[in-house]
Amino acid sequence: LECLYFSSISHIPLFFLFKMKSTIFASLLATAAAFAPASQTASSSTALNAFEGELGVQPPIGFWDPLRLLADADQERFDRLRYVELKHGRICQLAFLGNILPRAGIYLPGNIDSAGDAFSSYPAGLAGMFGPDRIPGIGLVQIVLFVGLLEVAVMKDIT
């Protein structure tokens, strides 16, 4: 009965060896499928075919617009939405850094206000906005106004 549960080479249960071999076999099948020739499908004639040659369109999905924002759009609208997507992606990256760096102990040098409070004296994340040691309300208003100024005046589409 013991030989059914343990392999003869080691004390690893046979179930785990079978699971490992099955996983390796499945990954080999997936690797072989990655090099199989792709099936050619006939292209349909829709208004979205105007953007099939754009950067980022890849088979097998092709041009993907699930919300149909570009159902009856021209190239100018497509370029505008692409610019806005890139801009918001970059803003999200900066917001991520603004959240993760204070958690790692990296703060801006100097004081956050004229009272002499250092940047490191405020907690990171949502606790810095809603916690007991939060940034004063006028400070949050200044941050929102500064971001609005950047959005309206600095980060413009100049292409």
Side-chain angles (χ1 to χ4, degrees), residues 94-110:
L94 288 173
F96 174 77
L97 284 177
N99 189 8
I100 202 74
L101 289 177
R103 292 176 188 269
I106 302 170
Y107 297 96
L108 292 173

Side-chain angles (χ1 to χ4, degrees), residues 4-145:
L4 293 176
Y5 296 107
F6 294 99
S7 65
S8 60
I9 322 173
S10 65
H11 292 305
I12 299 173
L14 287 177
F15 172 74
F16 291 119
L17 288 177
F18 177 74
K19 189 175 182 180
M20 180 181 66
K21 290 178 184 179
S22 299
T23 305
I24 292 172
F25 181 70
S27 64
L28 287 174
L29 284 179
T31 304
F35 294 104
S39 63
Q40 300 295 327
T41 59
S43 63
S44 60
S45 158
T46 65
L48 295 179
N49 277 345
F51 306 117
E52 283 292 329
E54 292 292 333
L55 180 68
V57 176
Q58 297 178 354
I61 296 174
F63 180 72
W64 192 57
D65 184 20
L67 299 178
R68 306 211 27 93
L69 296 173
L70 297 170
D72 54 348
D74 57 352
Q75 187 68 36
E76 182 180 346
R77 171 109 170 114
F78 176 82
D79 291 340
R80 173 71 184 147
L81 288 178
R82 175 163 280 187
Y83 168 76
V84 169
E85 179 183 11
L86 287 173
K87 180 170 121 178
H88 290 160
R90 291 174 182 150
I91 290 170
C92 289
Q93 291 171 357
L94 288 173
F96 174 77
L97 284 177
N99 189 8
I100 202 74
L101 289 177
R103 292 176 188 269
I106 302 170
Y107 297 96
L108 292 173
N111 297 328
I112 197 169
D113 58 9
S114 60
D117 295 324
F119 283 96
S120 60
S121 66
Y122 292 101
L126 290 176
M129 291 175 23
F130 304 114
D133 297 332
R134 65 180 171 262
I135 297 172
I138 192 69
L140 289 177
V141 170
Q142 289 175 349
I143 291 171
V144 170
L145 289 176

